Amino acid sequence: MMRDVRLDGMRHDAPEVASGHVSPAPIVAKVLVVDDDRRNLLAVEEILRATGIEIVTADSGEAALRHVLQDDFAVILLDVQMPRIDGYEVAGLIRNRPRSSRVPILFLTAYNKDDLHVFKGYSAGAVDYVFKPIEPLILKSKVDIFVDLYRKTEEIRRQGEQERLLLMENLRVRSEKLRAEQALRRREEHQAIVLQSLPIALYTASLQEDHRQLHFTSESIERITGFEPSAFLASPDFWSSRIHPEDRERVLDQLSRLAEEGAVTLEYRWRCADGVERFFLDQTVLMRDGEGRPREFFGMWFDITERKQMEQNLLHASKLEAVGRLTGGIAHDFNNMLSVVIGNLDLLRKTVQGNEKAIRRIGMALESAQHCADLTHRLLTFSRRQSLQVSTIDVNVLMPNLLELMRRTLGERINAKLQTESGIWPIRVDRAQLEAALLNLAVNARDAMPDGGDLTITVENQVIGEGGARPAGEFVMIAVSDTGVGMPPEVLERVFEPFFTTKESGKGTGLGLSMVYGFVQQCHGHVEVASEPNAGTTIRIFLPRCREAVEISAEAPADVAHPFGNSQHVLVVEDNPAVRQVATSTLRSLGFKVTEAETGDMAARILESSRDVSLVLSDVRMPGEMSGIDLARFIQREMPHIQVLLTTGYFDGEERVEDLNLLYKPYRGTDLAEKIQALMGAAQPGTIHSLPAHRTATG
């Protein structure tokens, strides 16, 4: 015989107590599967079908929320990509509802396992990911864990309800109560074993004023904080004295309302035995006895330091993405304009040979334009809108010349010195970007030492083991240390944020250290900063060791490229008239016959009617149905004898271009000549003389 019993607003079938015998009803665990693809729902339902498990399916976020309002679930399997309401929004709504806030959520996703999506999922409340295509054994194993936990939790709850009913309805069944207590004790022992392996510590506290003298029920507190449980009973203010000063008033104010509200959730920084402040989530509830009277407080400490670090990393990544979008939006037009300036200056230089004054002025203008181009390139690289031009380099060969450049830049009041050791491992980086990053750090150090001081650059090999806070591996560490004014903690936390600067207006953009951070991240390295007010600053760059041979630097190219085209036919495809005019003039000065086209569609028609084109020089971004990449693919497929060279102000597409030849704008006439010689010389050996290869100033 069964009857309905309501507890906390939920309906449960409770067994009738009769003749001292209790027959527990089997626990059916409900699993909610949400996916807009019916085939996926059927597949998951087939994988998870088992006795004691009820599969509930929903084909949209709205349907899932309706089910969550009606039923309790052991676990929710939630597809990330759905129309109208995606998985992240659904998870957030489920988490915001108290009754469903603790239901475990597993995300089903076909996304790559990159940090940004994983961080977003965990921030939305997911406890784990299952990646498509789904591995049945993995999915079933993960779901079984939560189903088993749900059943054990439900067993404990039912057992407690059974105990209360037994006490109220029949004192004769003491033997049943004893067995229930023994079963509960076994469950608690099982849970204690599980908790010992987690960064969680459970405690109890009295109802008196000294309730924050915590009695920890698990030894895990020593593993988390470095203090034994007895340390929390040593003095009444032991716990409160180690709260971060900025958090203390807020936390104590929340605690003062604990007896009235019955529960409180605290988040604060707490200084551990090693002096390191870690973030803790402290959840406390008021426990009552069988008659409803307050008995004691029960709480849980959870170390959330890693989660807070991931949140900060995600915030920083979002800021970098915002800067990247801003930079990418203007880079194409800006680099087109610089292409016109640099191209015309190159052409003008050829017409004023012998006029030293004019050549000098043109050189100054070219140098300034190149600096603008280099700044755009660094912005795009830092925001990951443009790939690095990497090579394998020897840091010990690079540093002496760079140190001399630093000394000329920093001035006489800064004593710059280099400390290095023999046998430094090679690294694979963009040489120009590394030089720019170190110069940037040196200039920042100079600004932090207005009255002069010491700047020390240290280079050494470092092997970082597993299990620490740093990424493991073999690295070359380059440290830039100064004896300047240092930074307070609030500045140190924001030092790599884009546009954040402590310098006066007009003396800093706030992008320097952000560029350093973006460059090192793109090289798969990491950056550390140590600084204290009036104690100087040390910035350490860790770059992965490369096991390839060091590449020999090529000689610098000539300033002027000599004609070598021999009237070969080149098709120039560019929608910007000014850029097209510069490209055609440069090619004609190199001895080529040139035909022009404004779009990729027009270029395709010209190629179909003209048989003598040897090379196509095309922009990537153009109006019309056919982009530069589409045109290159068409030529590779239909006219493989024609060489293709693509030019672009920046490239931000997802299409693979590794097999295409790319020259970034703005480029010098010598850069274009060298690239064409390399392409056409390879296609027609012996027809064109080679110039020394070199890296363009803008990549």
Side-chain angles (χ1 to χ4, degrees):
M1 177 179 179
M2 307 294 289
R3 64 157 182 242
D4 291 347
V5 177
R6 290 189 174 272
L7 181 62
D8 299 330
M10 293 184 288
R11 179 184 180 279
H12 303 277
D13 293 329
E16 180 93 23
V17 177
S19 303
H21 179 69
V22 179
S23 300
I27 298 173
V28 176
K30 291 186 177 182
V31 177
L32 177 59
V33 184
V34 188
D35 198 304
D36 61 327
D37 191 328
R38 186 63 185 170
R39 295 169 297 179
N40 291 340
L41 292 176
L42 292 174
V44 173
E45 188 173 7
E46 184 65 26
I47 292 171
L48 300 180
R49 183 180 291 117
T51 304
I53 297 180
E54 179 181 341
I55 308 296
V56 179
T57 60
D59 58 4
S60 68
E62 295 88 341
L65 294 173
R66 287 195 293 271
H67 283 299
V68 172
L69 289 172
Q70 296 170 0
D71 295 307
D72 298 317
F73 295 94
V75 62
I76 297 174
L77 307 181
L78 186 56
D79 184 27
V80 171
Q81 194 72 19
M82 293 187 296
R84 296 187 299 278
I85 304 180
D86 65 20
Y88 300 122
E89 295 177 82
V90 175
L93 293 171
I94 293 173
R95 283 284 174 262
N96 289 334
R97 182 171 174 267
R99 178 170 163 180
S100 60
S101 62
R102 297 181 182 277
V103 178
I105 297 175
L106 297 180
F107 272 145
L108 306 176
T109 179
Y111 280 129
N112 290 331
K113 191 176 182 183
D114 59 79
D115 289 347
L116 188 59
H117 288 106
V118 173
F119 288 165
K120 186 174 181 181
Y122 286 143
S123 299
V127 299
D128 204 351
Y129 269 79
V130 175
F131 292 91
K132 297 178 182 178
I134 294 172
E135 190 71 31
L137 181 59
I138 293 177
L139 177 62
K140 183 167 178 56
S141 299
K142 291 187 176 184
V143 170
D144 284 348
I145 291 173
F146 292 108
V147 168
D148 185 54
L149 180 60
Y150 174 83
R151 285 174 174 161
K152 287 181 169 58
T153 304
E154 188 67 12
E155 280 183 28
I156 294 173
R157 189 200 59 76
R158 288 191 181 186
Q159 195 69 57
E161 179 66 12
Q162 175 183 319
E163 178 184 346
R164 189 181 69 82
L165 292 174
L166 289 171
L167 288 172
M168 292 174 58
E169 297 185 22
N170 198 339
L171 295 176
R172 295 182 296 104
V173 290
R174 293 182 179 178
S175 60
E176 291 292 332
K177 175 188 174 186
L178 179 60
R179 283 195 291 271
E181 290 176 345
Q182 291 173 342
L184 184 60
R185 190 175 299 113
R186 287 194 295 270
R187 299 290 185 267
E188 290 174 346
E189 291 173 354
H190 179 266
Q191 289 182 341
I193 294 173
V194 174
L195 290 174
Q196 285 176 2
S197 63
L198 300 175
I200 295 175
L202 304 178
Y203 65 85
T204 60
S206 73
L207 299 175
Q208 307 305 317
E209 290 298 325
D210 64 346
H211 63 272
R212 294 310 285 181
Q213 286 186 281
L214 310 177
H215 298 261
F216 281 93
T217 60
S218 62
E219 298 297 325
S220 57
I221 188 62
E222 184 175 0
R223 186 178 74 251
I224 297 173
T225 68
F227 290 110
E228 295 181 356
S230 58
F232 290 82
L233 304 174
S235 62
D237 65 342
F238 176 79
W239 169 80
S240 60
S241 66
R242 306 186 76 83
I243 302 176
H244 192 283
E246 295 178 3
D247 300 335
R248 186 178 295 119
E249 183 177 352
R250 170 181 56 82
V251 170
L252 295 179
D253 180 63
Q254 287 181 274
L255 279 175
S256 66
R257 302 191 298 270
L258 178 56
E260 301 174 8
E261 299 179 358
V264 67
T265 298
L266 310 171
E267 190 174 301
Y268 51 83
R269 289 161 287 181
W270 199 82
R271 192 171 73 258
C272 297
D274 58 3
V276 176
E277 289 184 336
R278 301 187 69 81
F279 285 88
F280 287 98
L281 181 67
D282 187 345
Q283 295 180 311
T284 308
V285 296
L286 178 63
M287 304 297 293
R288 301 180 182 275
D289 60 19
E291 298 181 6
R293 294 175 299 191
R295 186 181 67 199
E296 64 181 359
F297 292 108
F298 176 78
M300 176 198 75
W301 266 26
F302 182 49
D303 186 348
I304 59 170
T305 305
E306 292 185 4
R307 191 197 79 185
K308 298 296 287 187
Q309 184 62 47
M310 286 193 294
E311 289 176 355
Q312 293 174 1
N313 290 343
L314 179 59
L315 178 62
H316 188 69
S318 299
K319 291 179 179 178
L320 290 182
E321 178 66 18
V323 175
R325 290 176 180 174
L326 173 65
T327 305
I330 65 173
H332 183 265
D333 291 338
F334 187 66
N335 281 333
N336 269 343
M337 290 185 286
L338 282 175
S339 294
V340 176
V341 173
I342 292 175
N344 278 300
L345 287 172
D346 265 334
L347 293 170
L348 184 60
R349 180 191 288 246
K350 294 182 179 181
T351 66
V352 295
Q353 292 298 319
N355 188 337
E356 295 299 326
K357 185 176 181 180
I359 290 176
R360 186 168 60 254
R361 291 182 182 275
I362 291 172
M364 293 170 62
L366 273 171
E367 184 177 357
S368 296
Q370 288 292 128
H371 286 162
C372 292
D374 188 53
L375 177 60
T376 305
H377 174 76
R378 285 161 54 193
L379 279 168
L380 289 170
T381 301
F382 130 80
S383 59
R384 304 189 184 190
R385 285 302 201 270
Q386 190 159 292
S387 60
L388 296 172
Q389 305 297 311
V390 298
S391 60
T392 305
I393 67 172
D394 185 338
V395 181
N396 275 348
V397 173
L398 169 73
M399 290 309 301
N401 291 334
L402 183 59
L403 184 64
E404 288 302 315
L405 176 60
M406 286 182 180
R407 285 171 174 159
R408 293 195 298 270
T409 303
L410 300 178
E412 297 179 354
R413 292 200 295 179
I414 305 298
N415 178 30
K417 60 182 179 180
L418 174 65
Q419 294 179 349
T420 185
E421 58 187 31
S422 60
I424 294 296
W425 297 322
I427 55 176
R428 188 163 179 79
V429 297
D430 186 316
R431 180 191 182 101
Q433 290 290 328
L434 176 61
E435 292 176 345
L438 294 178
L439 278 171
N440 205 314
L441 295 180
V443 170
N444 278 358
R446 179 200 63 189
D447 295 342
M449 298 183 288
D451 299 324
D454 296 328
L455 174 71
T456 304
I457 300 178
T458 305
V459 183
E460 60 185 41
N461 297 330
Q462 283 202 8
V463 179
I464 302 176
E466 299 282 352
R470 301 171 174 176
E474 295 179 329
F475 297 90
V476 173
M477 189 276 293
I478 306 175
V480 180
S481 304
D482 64 61
T483 56
V485 296
M487 292 179 282
E490 61 271 17
V491 173
L492 196 60
E493 289 180 359
R494 303 182 60 191
V495 70
F496 291 122
E497 288 187 13
F499 304 114
F500 174 76
T501 180
T502 58
K503 298 178 181 179
E504 299 176 13
S505 177
K507 293 187 177 181
T509 63
L511 284 172
L513 289 179
S514 294
M515 289 182 178
V516 173
Y517 178 88
F519 159 69
V520 175
Q521 289 287 309
Q522 204 166 5
C523 292
H524 309 291
H526 60 279
V527 187
E528 294 179 356
V529 184
S531 183
E532 293 182 10
N534 302 316
T537 300
T538 298
I539 298 181
R540 298 179 180 87
I541 296 176
F542 293 83
L543 298 170
R545 174 185 183 180
C546 178
R547 297 186 178 276
E548 298 178 5
V550 173
E551 298 178 16
I552 305 300
S553 299
E555 297 178 1
D559 285 337
V560 178
H562 299 288
F564 62 91
N566 296 325
S567 297
Q568 295 182 79
H569 194 178
V570 177
L571 174 61
V572 175
V573 191
E574 170 65 63
D575 62 301
N576 187 304
V579 177
R580 188 172 66 249
Q581 186 273 329
V582 170
T584 56
S585 297
T586 301
L587 287 168
R588 287 184 176 122
S589 72
L590 294 175
F592 288 97
K593 171 187 173 184
V594 181
T595 301
E596 302 178 27
E598 294 184 12
T599 66
D601 307 285
M602 183 184 298
R605 290 193 295 270
I606 293 174
L607 289 172
E608 289 173 349
S609 61
S610 178
R611 299 298 179 182
D612 65 337
V613 174
S614 301
L615 171 72
V616 174
L617 177 66
S618 173
D619 189 20
V620 170
R621 297 158 60 96
M622 292 182 295
E625 296 183 1
M626 185 174 285
S627 69
I629 294 177
D630 296 332
L631 177 62
R633 299 296 184 204
F634 168 76
I635 295 172
Q636 284 180 333
R637 184 176 63 253
E638 303 294 336
M639 309 168 187
H641 63 283
I642 299 178
Q643 297 296 314
V644 182
L645 176 58
L646 298 178
T647 66
T648 182
Y650 88 107
F651 182 75
D652 191 25
E654 296 182 357
E655 188 172 354
R656 295 177 62 87
V657 293
E658 288 82 355
D659 59 333
L660 300 177
N661 298 294
L662 200 61
L663 179 62
Y664 284 103
K665 300 175 184 176
Y667 50 80
R668 297 285 306 276
T670 52
D671 300 330
L672 179 61
E674 177 194 359
K675 201 76 173 181
I676 293 175
Q677 283 186 312
L679 289 176
M680 300 184 70
Q684 304 174 20
T687 61
I688 298 177
H689 301 288
S690 297
L691 286 178
H694 72 286
R695 176 182 176 273
T696 69
T698 60

